[in-house]
Amino acid sequence: MHEVVVTGYGIVSALGVGVPEFCRRMFAGDSGISGIRGALVASNFPVAVAALVPRTGLGQPRSLKNSDAGDTPTSWRFAGLATEEAMASLPSEVMVDAIVYATSDGVNFDLLKDSFRNFVVDTFDWDSTRSETCLEFIRSILEQNGNGHVPDESVISINNACVSSNQAIGIAFHRIRSGQWTRAVVGGVDARCNDHNLMNFHLLGALSTAEGSDASSPFSKNRSGFVRGEGAATLILETRQAAEARGAPVLGYVVGYSATSDAYRLTQGRTDVMGAAKAISLALEDAGCAPEQLSAISAHGTSTLINDSLETAAIKKMFGLRAYEIPVVSLKSQLGHSTVAAGAMEAVASLLMLREQKLAPTINYTHPDPDCDLDYVPNVSRPAFLNLVLSNNFGFGGQNSCVVFKRADA
Amino acid sequence: MSRIFWKLSVCPPLNELPASYRYDLYDSNICVPRAAVFPEKNERLVELPDPRAARSLGRAGLLLMAAGLPSQNVIAPFVQEDPFSVGIYCAIEHGPNDFESARQMIHTPPEEFAVTYKSLRSPKQYLKQLPNVPPSQLAIFLGVMGPVNVYQHSRFGCLHALDQAEFDLNAGTVRAALVCSAFSLEDPLLSLRAWRSVPNSMVLCEGAAMMVLTPDGKYINWRAQLPPYTDRFHGIAQDLVMLARSDNDNNDRQSELAMQTSENNSYACEPAVAASASKLAYR
């Protein structure tokens, strides 16, 4: 069994492009959420806010420097920029065995509308209907950088709703730990923050009805739904042995992973929280870590009424009275919910908390909820001794997935 | 570290001549020249334990149910012993998009977009499009609480699912792995892209397959096991459909398995579910 380390990370988010800015703003408790009416959507649109990646100053991936940004799919831009940042510590000649990436690319409403405007079979962009093209773009970045050609069977495109990128991390972690792979590029991208996608979630009653930058208020009594976010995050995972051999920086460890399903309802978690609690339990077991060793939890914390109370119940079911001693942070209070990319973005946040020995705050926490009575690190970041952080993601379909990260110098 | 404990493929009859499959969408005539599909409309494809679930499933999702639900009494002992020890490994693409509403909204001004969108589209339409909904629904019907993995690579999705199942069985993460895939011609863009990716002589077929894998102490290199292409192409489901149809099992054997499942089924699933699936398997 190999130890698995993180040797690179990169992020594109509503809190900034690049890890340094993201880190600064996350601990400052900034909100990436802003009004979208009159800009992204019409002034009478029923959804008022989203957490958008700032387009001003958003560059092109170096590998696409000769392309017009307008011609580049947004998911490629986000994933490309995050991947190139993560590859800063990945020199040429260092081979990559696999790409495991979460994406929601494929046929969508905009593509349909375009197809009706001018559909010619022979000139239609058929590649835009495939989910894996963004991964193939990441593969081309690696090839240009001299990191070898990742074979098709190891270019793994995952779409399992909100647990997707936690699963991408977990799948690669297990393969590397077993020795099957030495090194992998993992992560997730979500670039669907647009009018029709917002309407899809709005019609399902999942989005916040609040209108300010405080519209995402996880675990607070006044929460009313999640705020749609977007972004990408990429991590380089490899064996500790391989990282040490090439003198790569160790940014943290991945030590545990689990995935379970509720087998209950498509859009609501089990009220007995059996599936979520089991996922937490299995991840800690996989990490070889006793419950009392856990330092903090990066919660799924969507700001929906149901998720936040069920997640709190799952944590209590798993940890008992110790649940009240474990800080629980929701990055979605600042970043909104980037669905398939959320796990990867929260993985970067977890690793930064471990590096800085500081807890990011759950902002917009104003009204305590008797059903959510844990320590959510309300509104202000604070120093803490952090050795192990659990990152939860739960998703449509009753999916639960957890990853455990350990600090680099522990 | 696995063996094939049970398998079923659900495909249109092989002895039927392919026909063209036409989409009345655009001004020009769009069709897949050589296609094979089940004649049943979506609502008649398979009887679900909870018919309301059909509102969230596209045709590929329904085909996945047709291939997967008959495994119920086969996997019941595993599920009863530990529902977390059974996992689902599914290769499937996005569900169908609503072309009609998109067509009607081409020229909708931004101020009218939300109202028009709400009037034209059901909230459930979005669930139909999400690729993880069919395997999640299958997990709900079968009581499976282990990992659900969803792979989307249009050509290698099945291989990714098989490899992960093999890995998880080897690691002891699961004791039974339900590897499944489905493909339908419901979404014109997905169908046309799939058809354009293979030689014109091939027939684009809808279909689905399920293989239940259990540990066996020997490692299977699934890439080496994949059967060569025949004259039929099942899109993302190709590799699993072909694997489920290969070896010593002919169609009759597969149908027989499905019938046994139907007759012996006493595990929280209406017998009609499996019976309907076996009916499809006979074709």
Side-chain angles (χ1 to χ4, degrees), chain A residues 236-398:
Chain A
I236 312 291
L237 307 187
E238 58 190 295
T239 63
R240 178 179 176 176
Q241 190 179 19
E244 287 178 348
R246 68 185 183 89
V250 173
L251 306 171
Y253 292 78
V254 185
V255 292
Y257 164 69
S258 70
T260 67
S261 51
D262 279 354
Y264 182 61
R265 289 179 186 165
L266 286 177
T267 55
Q268 185 186 334
R270 290 180 77 102
T271 49
D272 65 6
V273 299
M274 190 165 69
K278 183 72 172 182
I280 295 171
S281 166
L282 288 174
L284 294 178
E285 186 182 316
D286 193 47
C289 147
E292 56 270 21
Q293 292 178 279
L294 188 67
S295 312
I297 295 173
S298 171
H300 189 51
T302 56
S303 182
T304 63
L305 288 171
I306 292 175
N307 173 83
D308 293 0
S309 58
L310 290 183
E311 184 169 14
T312 298
I315 293 168
K316 288 185 193 174
K317 184 183 179 88
M318 174 61 209
F319 294 99
L321 286 175
R322 185 168 138 64
Y324 294 93
E325 301 168 3
I326 304 172
V328 178
V329 172
S330 172
L331 270 298
K332 292 185 181 77
S333 63
Q334 303 182 57
L335 289 174
H337 190 355
S338 302
T339 65
V340 301
M345 296 168 81
E346 287 154 14
V348 173
S350 297
L351 289 160
L352 290 171
M353 286 193 278
L354 287 163
R355 187 188 78 182
E356 301 295 320
Q357 292 291 288
K358 190 191 285 187
L359 292 160
T362 300
I363 65 170
N364 309 320
Y365 184 85
T366 53
H367 297 70
D369 179 348
D371 289 338
C372 301
D373 57 351
L374 302 177
D375 171 12
Y376 301 109
V377 194
N379 302 315
V380 182
S381 66
R382 67 174 191 242
F385 172 75
L386 302 174
N387 187 42
L388 290 161
V389 171
L390 171 79
S391 181
N392 289 343
N393 278 152
F394 309 125
F396 266 172

Side-chain angles (χ1 to χ4, degrees), chain A residues 42 44-46 103-109 112-113 115-117 119 121-122 124 126 129-132 152-153 155-161 167 171 174-175 178 180 192 195-197 199-201 203-204 259-267 270 274-275 278 396-397 399, chain B residues 25-26 28 30 56 84 93-94 97-99 101-103 105-106 110-114 117-118 121-124 126-127 130-133 136-137 139-140 143-156 159-160 163-164 167 173 187-190 192-193 196 223:
Chain A
N44 62 350
F45 198 74
T103 167
S104 51
D105 284 358
V107 178
N108 59 42
F109 193 77
L112 289 194
K113 285 203 296 185
S115 76
F116 278 105
R117 288 194 183 99
F119 184 80
V121 171
D122 290 334
F124 186 75
W126 293 104
T129 68
R130 296 191 293 127
S131 74
E132 67 267 20
D152 286 325
E153 58 263 39
V155 177
I156 301 174
S157 171
I158 290 177
N159 186 344
N160 196 4
Q167 288 193 323
I171 285 169
H174 275 174
R175 300 287 186 100
S178 75
Q180 189 176 105
R192 293 176 301 166
D195 51 6
H196 58 85
N197 188 266
M199 279 303 294
N200 288 334
F201 284 111
L203 292 176
L204 288 170
T260 67
S261 51
D262 279 354
Y264 182 61
R265 289 179 186 165
L266 286 177
T267 55
R270 290 180 77 102
M274 190 165 69
K278 183 72 172 182
F396 266 172
Q399 304 308 314
Chain B
L25 286 172
Y26 307 106
S28 52
I30 304 297
S56 304
F84 293 102
E93 294 198 75
H94 282 280
N97 279 270
D98 186 343
F99 279 70
S101 66
R103 187 185 63 77
M105 278 189 270
I106 297 171
E111 301 75 32
E112 296 172 22
F113 178 82
Y117 198 89
K118 189 174 180 179
R121 288 170 69 99
S122 153
K124 297 282 186 182
Y126 184 52
L127 296 182
L130 296 175
N132 78 317
V133 163
S136 297
Q137 186 63 63
I140 291 169
V144 167
M145 297 185 73
V148 169
N149 295 268
V150 187
Y151 300 95
Q152 280 208 291
H153 197 295
S154 58
R155 176 62 193 88
F156 292 96
L159 188 61
H160 296 156
D163 278 348
Q164 190 61 39
F167 185 88
T173 306
D187 189 286
L189 294 179
L190 288 189
L192 287 163
R193 184 250 291 151
R196 289 170 59 84
R223 174 132 208 191

Side-chain angles (χ1 to χ4, degrees), chain B residues 9-213:
Chain B
S9 67
V10 173
C11 299
L14 290 172
N15 56 355
E16 211 167 81
L17 288 175
S20 67
Y21 194 88
R22 188 168 301 280
Y23 298 99
D24 295 322
L25 286 172
Y26 307 106
D27 293 337
S28 52
N29 288 325
I30 304 297
C31 76
V32 174
R34 295 162 60 79
V37 298
F38 290 110
E40 287 88 351
K41 291 186 174 178
N42 284 11
E43 57 271 24
R44 303 291 301 274
L45 264 179
V46 59
E47 287 183 46
L48 301 172
D50 179 356
R52 291 173 300 176
R55 291 181 296 181
S56 304
L57 296 169
R59 190 170 176 87
L62 292 165
L63 287 168
L64 194 80
M65 300 302 137
L69 288 175
S71 71
Q72 190 156 38
N73 75 337
V74 173
I75 66 162
F78 297 98
V79 172
Q80 283 168 339
E81 187 174 328
D82 180 6
F84 293 102
S85 74
V86 184
I88 292 180
Y89 305 78
C90 182
I92 195 164
E93 294 198 75
H94 282 280
N97 279 270
D98 186 343
F99 279 70
E100 183 52 28
S101 66
R103 187 185 63 77
Q104 292 185 48
M105 278 189 270
I106 297 171
H107 302 297
T108 302
E111 301 75 32
E112 296 172 22
F113 178 82
V115 172
T116 310
Y117 198 89
K118 189 174 180 179
S119 69
L120 293 176
R121 288 170 69 99
S122 153
K124 297 282 186 182
Q125 174 64 31
Y126 184 52
L127 296 182
K128 280 187 180 181
Q129 291 169 231
L130 296 175
N132 78 317
V133 163
S136 297
Q137 186 63 63
L138 188 61
I140 291 169
F141 283 151
L142 297 177
V144 167
M145 297 185 73
V148 169
N149 295 268
V150 187
Y151 300 95
Q152 280 208 291
H153 197 295
S154 58
R155 176 62 193 88
F156 292 96
C158 284
L159 188 61
H160 296 156
L162 285 161
D163 278 348
Q164 190 61 39
E166 190 76 17
F167 185 88
D168 283 358
L169 286 165
N170 182 27
T173 306
V174 295
R175 292 178 55 242
L178 280 53
V179 187
C180 52
S181 186
F183 174 75
S184 85
L185 275 69
E186 189 171 27
D187 189 286
L189 294 179
L190 288 189
S191 303
L192 287 163
R193 184 250 291 151
W195 183 73
R196 289 170 59 84
S197 71
V198 293
N200 288 352
S201 58
M202 294 184 79
V203 180
L204 188 66
C205 298
E206 62 182 8
M210 161 80 94
M211 296 204 317
V212 178
L213 306 181

